[in-house]
Amino acid sequence: MKAFDYAAPASLPEAVGLLASQPSARLLAGGTDLLVQLRSGRKDADVVIDVKKIPELNEISFNPADGLTIGAAVPCYRLTADAAIQSHYPALVEVASWIGGTQIQGRASLGGNLCNSAPSADSIPLLIALGATALIAGPAGRRSVPVDEFCTAPGRNQLAPGELLVSIQIPAPAPFSGAAYLRFIPRNEMDIAVVGAGASVTLSNGVISAARVALSSVAPTPLFVPAAGESLLNQMPTAEALEAAAKIAQEAASPISDMRGTAAYRRHLCAVMVRRALELAVARAQEIN
Amino acid sequence: MSTTTYNVIGTRPVRHDGADKVTGRALYGADLQLARMIHGAVLRSPHAHARILRIDTSKAEAFPGVFAVVTAADFPEAPADKIVDFGEGDTMLSSLRGNILASGKVLYSGHAVAAVAAVNAHVAAEAAALIEVDYEPLPCVLTAPEAMAPGAPILHDDLPNGNVAELIRYEMGDLDAGFAEATVIVERELDTATVHQGYIEPQNATAFWSSDGRIHIWCSTQGSFVARDASAAVLDVPVSQVKVTPMEIGGGFGGKINVYLEPVAAMLSKKAGRPVKLVMSRRDVFTGTGPTPGSRVRVKIGVNDAGKITAAQAWLAYEAGAYPGAMVGPGAMTVFACYDIPNVLIEGFDVVVNKPSTAAYRAPGAPNSALATETVLDEIAEKLGLDPLELRLRNAAQEGTRRADGPRYKRIGCIEVLEAMKASPHYNAPLPGPNCGRGVAIGFWFNAGLPSSATLSVNADGTVNLIEGSTDIGGSRTSLSMQAAEVLGLRAEDIHPTIVDTDSVGYTGVTGGSRTTFSTGLAVHDAAQIVVEQMKARAARLWAVDEVAFSNGVFSANGQSFTFAELAAQLGATGGPVSCSATVNPKGVGGSIAGLIIDVKVDPETGKTDVLRVTSVQDAGKAIHPAYVEGQMQGGTAQGIGWALNEEYFMDTAGDMRNGSYLDYRMPTALDLPMIETIIVEVPNPGHPFGVRGVGEANIVPPLAAVANALYRATGKRLNRVPMNPATILGL
């Protein structure tokens, strides 16, 4: 690892100012991706800007009207311990507890997971299913981008030079709604998703009134499949309906073969994992409220 | 079965190094700090097979903070036909040296090409990246069947049979007549992937080449004397010029017998005039050290109506990696080692391929071949409608059984292990539900003898210092201390073991071959007996008698008695301290049989295997420290299950390993396995005073086949390749 300069701004304006003068700087929250990439030579850095000391990036806030705001540097262990998240976003607690092991969760953040923009990112399909948006700050001020549009290629995203992620905003859960993220790994922990599936479902009088489906590890970016969710609208959540939605998601996938699985196996898993995620989301929608 | 009663042996004292290990005080190679020490980095080949046209180190040498750069050109030339043997079999010196730093050609992706020493590891890595190497890439070959095919790229011009470095053939009886007697014949071919031992601690070495010519090496090694002798051979200096201090070792499993960094650190130190430390990254460990061979094994077994095996044939091709020396010999010798078979033909091929040069891994070669034998037997048992353990019992090797490679067994515990499996609570419990299957298999490992030395010094307070040279991987400080304590009538806690450098103890072979508790244990036993004799003589002098008895730690004669401690306090007044040494080179090695029962559940939609219940059974001869024996059984089982289910070197077509990290190599974690139940069988080895056989290895032999057999029962499919991962279970 080459030597680099390190800065830890204490406010968002200071960070934006620093970034304006060092547009190639690497941003560090927990560092669980960046430091590994620097050590292995996959990335290099002249300047690293640590965003952990910025108060706004460390906030978690929830209210029933606006929903949930998660600061970009909030580590996973704070999400899993948060009472409001436990009660309103149980799937988010699961995802935060699956990213790395206990030590990693003390550092790793959902903001970092989003900005690392890996096709296999565990949190992104769920954030897409939940309809989350990314709040971005930069030299031109602030802007919001839907998470389903945030990633543009493996390791690439909508952040322009000089911009940084401030927070992830998730709408308040609708009554009779549920969400889930499931990933397939050959082991029980500490692995990268061969296929991941996020799903959310809202029921009105037992009929599906809203649904969103997204996949990980089957395309160059986490993949939002609007048609899968739309196919469920005005349907009862029957096994056939969920299976049909899962097939639509499977058709949208364009997996590759690599050391984590063959394309054929991933394609097969798409249908299995989406169906199972939908089943869990429906069960949650039926049990709460 | 073992009937002798002991005071210390068979108990479970706290390990002597426990406090150091759990408090982090134990010193591993990477912890070492020396005055004026500098740090190194190794440049490795990105090509699996290429000619080196030019190496230009000038930019690296000019880089600020760099002290020295070395390539193969800095090492003495290896005579073309010089053979070296460090107790583990013959090796060509040219292969050993060629693997340390490539010259002429690189033979695998990860092959070391050059090394740099600099003020710190980061500067060294930056400078290493400035070394210019011009390669002429050559076609690569990555599997044994491909390497044996006509027209395959050839790795070494000097091998007589293309890429086949050695051909092994064992024959016994009349094979055709044997198969003619059979009523059921099954033949299957199974492949295994290259896998790594997966020790936690990466290889490391620190060396200081003093201006007086003395070379001091600190490293993580399974054998300090082997590391000394191999380093001396590579550096072409007398062994007495090298001193190796073994640091604590974070796992080896056979992979830390060979030297990789030691001679490089020494040569860098010679050039720099300072101590140089080299530490591998995890990727270096995967691509630059020795995994165990991938293999193709074909086995054909014929059985008559009575369930007796009438003939067995095996064909084995093992991937040696870049240099000759796949473990096909032991694979061939163990393939039918559990059974009494009259007519046998075994052919083995040692095949070089463009992968890292393979090394030992826990019963090296045996799991690959047992996979084929034990799955074929499972299929035969099913065809005959026989319980799979019953079929094995009808053919089990016993005292006097002759193996096709020659030896006849002395007392061996094959029947006892099978009976223990059959009687176990696990084997008699029902399976929990659908998609579940139970598999069984057994396996054999020779174990090793080799020389060992030990010194015991009696302290005036009645305790005893034990000086020995076996690096402690699995609790051997304690298992050796317990043997001394048993002879001396003391407690294990009264023995203070220390592992010392190669200048400070007699020659001791590697901690490998399951030999330490056996061989070094014998040295300790013999030294302790000399201590007893000398102590008796002191008591005789004090009491003015001719004969002194010694029993349970008490010396006595004519109604007078001394405890060991009372007599120890009088040594100064009776002629001075007592300090005794013994060096042994034992022949009475006792092989070990192990068996495994495993229950799995397979998700029919994803192909994921959950391991539900596992029972490991092994003949320990005599379990000196039962908890450590159980630990060995559980460790070997865990590694074998990982090998069976998910582990493999995933290579791209260019021979580059794509999963060289623990994230993607997919060893099982603690969350992937249940508590592994253990049943220790004790059929004492007549070749050891306490009956010790050695327990480190046989336990990894059955899991591959046991998992395959369990998967068959769960899914109805017989797969022909390990790892049997979720995608292959679904055929995707």
Side-chain angles (χ1 to χ4, degrees):
Chain A
M1 185 164 61
K2 286 209 289 196
F4 52 77
D5 289 334
Y6 171 85
S11 72
L12 199 49
E14 191 189 339
V16 170
L18 259 172
L19 260 179
S21 63
Q22 304 274 3
S24 69
R26 301 278 182 191
L27 293 170
L28 172 118
T32 58
D33 283 313
L34 180 67
L35 292 179
V36 176
Q37 290 158 352
L38 293 178
R39 281 211 176 108
S40 68
R42 266 180 291 160
K43 282 185 181 169
D44 53 25
D46 296 321
V47 184
V48 168
I49 298 178
D50 184 347
V51 299
K52 276 195 297 294
K53 305 223 162 84
I54 304 170
E56 199 176 345
L57 271 65
N58 280 300
E59 286 172 9
I60 301 177
S61 67
F62 173 78
N63 70 67
D66 301 330
L68 178 66
T69 298
I70 303 169
V74 172
C76 287
Y77 85 94
R78 284 183 57 202
L79 302 178
T80 56
D82 188 279
I85 298 176
Q86 285 171 358
S87 107
H88 297 291
Y89 305 94
L92 204 53
V93 173
E94 290 169 355
V95 161
S97 70
W98 290 345
I99 295 175
T102 303
Q103 295 96 324
I104 294 292
Q105 287 156 19
R107 282 278 176 180
S109 61
L110 290 201
N113 199 229
L114 182 57
C115 293
N116 189 53
S117 300
S120 59
D122 279 319
S123 72
I124 301 179
L126 179 66
L127 292 173
I128 293 173
L130 291 169
T133 54
L135 178 64
I136 295 167
R142 297 188 173 208
R143 64 186 181 111
S144 280
V145 172
V147 170
D148 57 57
E149 293 172 11
F150 185 81
C151 300
T152 55
R156 294 178 178 272
N157 54 50
Q158 297 243 11
L159 288 175
E163 286 189 323
L164 77 160
L165 181 72
V166 177
S167 61
I168 296 164
Q169 304 191 309
I170 305 176
F176 301 102
S177 68
Y181 172 76
L182 296 175
R183 68 174 178 184
F184 180 81
I185 52 175
R187 295 183 288 185
N188 290 327
E189 263 290 0
M190 307 297 288
D191 216 332
I192 302 278
V194 179
V195 168
S200 68
V201 170
T202 305
L203 298 174
S204 300
N205 299 319
V207 172
I208 297 171
S209 58
R212 288 169 67 90
V213 170
L215 289 157
S216 59
S217 295
V218 297
T221 65
L223 183 67
F224 178 38
V225 189
E230 285 158 12
S231 77
L232 291 166
L233 294 181
N234 304 315
Q235 304 255 358
M236 299 286 285
T238 60
E240 294 75 24
L242 303 187
E243 187 79 48
K247 289 273 186 253
I248 293 171
Q250 183 183 37
E251 288 303 314
S254 54
I256 57 164
S257 291
D258 66 10
M259 71 275 194
R260 295 178 189 136
T262 61
Y265 180 55
R266 284 193 159 114
R267 187 175 298 282
H268 167 81
L269 283 178
C270 284
V272 177
M273 301 314 289
V274 169
R275 196 200 73 230
R276 288 181 179 183
L278 281 167
E279 286 168 354
L280 183 54
V282 166
R284 283 178 171 158
Q286 289 167 336
E287 92 193 5
I288 50 177
N289 302 304
Chain B
M1 295 283 179
S2 174
T3 50
T4 316
T5 55
Y6 296 107
N7 294 319
V8 180
I9 286 171
T11 65
R12 301 172 181 236
V14 171
R15 62 194 296 157
H16 295 76
D17 50 325
D20 279 354
K21 294 269 168 76
V22 300
T23 57
R25 210 164 50 226
L27 287 178
Y28 294 81
D31 297 323
L32 188 70
Q33 299 294 341
L34 299 172
R36 302 179 72 244
M37 185 175 82
I38 57 176
H39 302 261
V42 174
L43 179 71
R44 295 179 183 279
S45 168
H47 300 288
H49 195 190
R51 211 173 302 286
I52 299 172
L53 302 177
R54 185 185 69 104
I55 304 178
D56 182 348
T57 59
S58 56
K59 284 185 185 149
E61 281 158 5
F63 194 72
V66 168
F67 286 82
V69 179
V70 297
T71 67
D74 292 289
F75 285 77
E77 190 83 13
D81 51 357
K82 179 154 187 201
I83 289 169
V84 287
D85 178 9
F86 311 119
E88 287 275 306
D90 292 348
T91 307
M92 299 293 292
L93 179 60
S94 59
S95 297
L96 186 65
R97 211 172 273 170
N99 197 37
I100 299 282
L101 281 174
S103 65
K105 288 208 295 188
V106 289
L107 296 169
Y108 55 97
S109 173
H111 201 161
V113 174
V116 179
V119 64
N120 65 49
H122 301 295
V123 170
E126 255 189 275
L130 297 175
I131 297 173
E132 293 171 8
V133 186
D134 289 347
Y135 295 103
E136 177 196 342
L138 301 169
C140 66
V141 62
L142 300 173
T143 67
E146 286 164 11
M148 294 169 80
I154 298 296
L155 273 75
H156 300 280
D157 296 332
D158 53 352
L159 290 177
N161 294 305
N163 291 319
V164 176
E166 193 183 2
L167 209 154
I168 291 166
R169 188 181 167 94
Y170 300 122
E171 207 170 354
M172 186 164 71
D174 183 336
L175 194 73
D176 292 339
F179 278 120
E181 288 170 41
T183 48
V184 174
I185 297 175
V186 172
E187 179 173 16
R188 294 283 176 258
E189 184 176 88
L190 288 105
D191 290 353
T192 70
T194 302
V195 296
H196 199 270
Q197 301 84 354
Y199 35 80
I200 294 291
E201 181 212 19
Q203 266 85 352
N204 56 76
T206 303
F208 180 54
W209 194 314
S210 169
S211 51
D212 66 1
R214 292 277 298 162
I215 302 164
H216 193 167
I217 295 171
W218 298 258
C219 58
S220 174
T221 179
Q222 288 180 237
S224 47
F225 284 88
V226 169
R228 178 195 71 172
D229 296 356
S231 298
V234 170
L235 297 167
D236 199 19
V237 299
V239 292
S240 61
Q241 201 173 318
V242 181
K243 172 162 90 174
V244 169
T245 298
M247 303 298 287
E248 290 296 341
I249 175 168
F253 312 107
K256 286 186 184 157
I257 295 173
N258 296 344
V259 295
Y260 299 97
L261 300 175
E262 290 85 346
V264 179
M267 195 56 80
L268 285 168
S269 175
K270 185 183 190 185
K271 279 187 139 179
R274 289 175 173 236
V276 175
K277 183 199 269 188
L278 287 170
V279 181
M280 286 198 187
S281 68
R282 183 60 58 192
R283 187 172 169 79
D284 290 348
V285 171
F286 273 117
T287 64
T289 70
T292 206
S295 59
R296 171 163 291 177
V297 178
R298 194 161 59 238
V299 159
K300 179 181 175 185
I301 297 177
V303 180
N304 66 17
D305 286 334
K308 287 288 291 176
I309 302 174
T310 58
Q313 184 175 3
W315 181 96
L316 312 93
Y318 282 30
E319 297 160 9
Y323 296 96
M327 294 294 179
V328 68
M333 288 186 268
T334 57
V335 62
F336 302 129
C338 292
Y339 304 107
D340 184 6
I341 309 176
N343 306 300
V344 179
L345 174 61
I346 301 165
E347 292 168 291
F349 299 85
D350 181 20
V351 187
V352 293
V353 297
N354 293 114
K355 292 195 211 176
S357 187
T358 54
Y361 176 18
R362 211 167 195 157
N368 314 45
S369 60
L371 169 67
T373 300
E374 294 292 305
T375 52
V376 165
L377 283 179
D378 200 60
E379 212 174 323
I380 290 173
E382 193 185 22
K383 284 186 196 293
L384 291 175
L386 267 182
D387 175 278
L389 293 179
E390 177 57 31
L391 174 65
R392 288 168 171 84
L393 272 166
R394 289 185 191 179
N395 295 284
Q398 46 196 306
E399 189 167 352
T401 296
R402 182 161 179 203
R403 280 204 320 261
D405 54 302
R408 279 188 194 282
Y409 288 120
K410 297 189 186 106
R411 189 78 176 85
I412 190 158
C414 191
I415 288 170
E416 288 82 355
V417 164
L418 285 162
E419 295 286 8
M421 292 169 77
K422 218 172 159 183
S424 67
H426 182 174
Y427 198 64
N428 292 287
L431 280 167
N435 301 313
C436 294
R438 173 170 300 154
V440 298
I442 60 171
F444 167 83
W445 187 250
F446 317 91
N447 300 329
L450 302 175
S452 275
S453 305
T455 298
L456 294 169
S457 304
V458 180
N459 296 313
D461 61 6
T463 64
V464 174
N465 294 340
L466 163 60
I467 307 298
E468 44 118 350
S470 289
T471 54
D472 183 357
I473 306 183
S476 57
R477 283 181 178 91
T478 302
S479 71
L480 298 174
S481 295
M482 289 171 74
Q483 295 182 66
E486 186 70 47
V487 174
L488 299 173
L490 300 174
R491 302 171 307 156
E493 296 79 1
D494 296 328
I495 313 295
H496 302 297
T498 304
I499 299 156
V500 295
D501 63 69
T502 51
D503 282 2
S504 308
V505 66
Y507 188 95
T508 297
V510 295
T511 297
S514 302
R515 62 172 292 279
T516 301
T517 301
F518 169 78
S519 267
T520 311
L522 185 61
V524 168
H525 168 274
D526 288 2
Q529 288 209 314
I530 306 171
V531 168
V532 168
E533 290 310 311
Q534 294 199 3
M535 296 278 281
K536 276 184 182 174
R538 302 302 177 89
R541 186 181 304 174
L542 281 167
W543 291 327
V545 299
D546 292 333
E547 287 289 320
V548 172
F550 179 68
S551 175
N552 286 321
V554 177
F555 297 89
S556 60
N558 297 339
Q560 305 174 93
S561 68
F562 281 128
T563 64
F564 189 93
E566 285 167 349
L567 185 55
Q570 305 206 40
L571 292 179
T574 58
V578 167
S579 173
C580 306
S581 297
T583 292
V584 299
N585 192 15
K587 300 298 173 204
V589 179
S592 179
I593 301 275
L596 195 76
I597 309 166
I598 184 166
D599 296 354
V600 302
K601 181 174 188 175
V602 178
D603 182 333
E605 285 193 319
T606 63
K608 179 168 186 279
T609 298
D610 280 316
V611 179
L612 304 177
R613 186 174 182 183
V614 188
T615 302
S616 175
V617 184
Q618 187 170 350
D619 176 14
K622 179 66 196 173
I624 299 295
H625 192 305
Y628 297 170
V629 173
E630 289 157 7
Q632 289 294 326
M633 293 164 71
Q634 290 163 331
T637 300
Q639 288 183 311
I641 293 172
W643 189 346
L645 288 177
N646 284 306
E647 292 178 36
E648 69 176 309
Y649 272 48
F650 190 93
M651 318 290 279
D652 62 22
T653 53
D656 192 34
M657 184 183 188
R658 303 312 300 266
N659 61 337
S661 74
Y662 278 163
L663 181 61
D664 284 318
Y665 180 71
R666 289 175 170 163
M667 277 166 41
T669 73
L671 297 162
D672 298 309
L673 295 172
M675 185 64 188
I676 295 167
E677 298 164 52
T678 54
I679 299 172
I680 301 173
V681 172
E682 293 185 320
V683 179
N685 170 20
H688 187 276
F690 300 125
V692 169
R693 288 185 184 272
V695 292
E697 294 168 287
N699 40 59
I700 201 176
V701 184
L704 272 65
V707 168
N709 292 336
L711 287 173
Y712 167 70
R713 311 271 168 193
T715 65
K717 290 182 198 168
R718 288 216 177 265
L719 304 177
N720 60 6
R721 183 176 185 270
V722 161
M724 296 178 173
N725 63 33
T728 59
I729 285 170
L730 294 188
L732 296 168

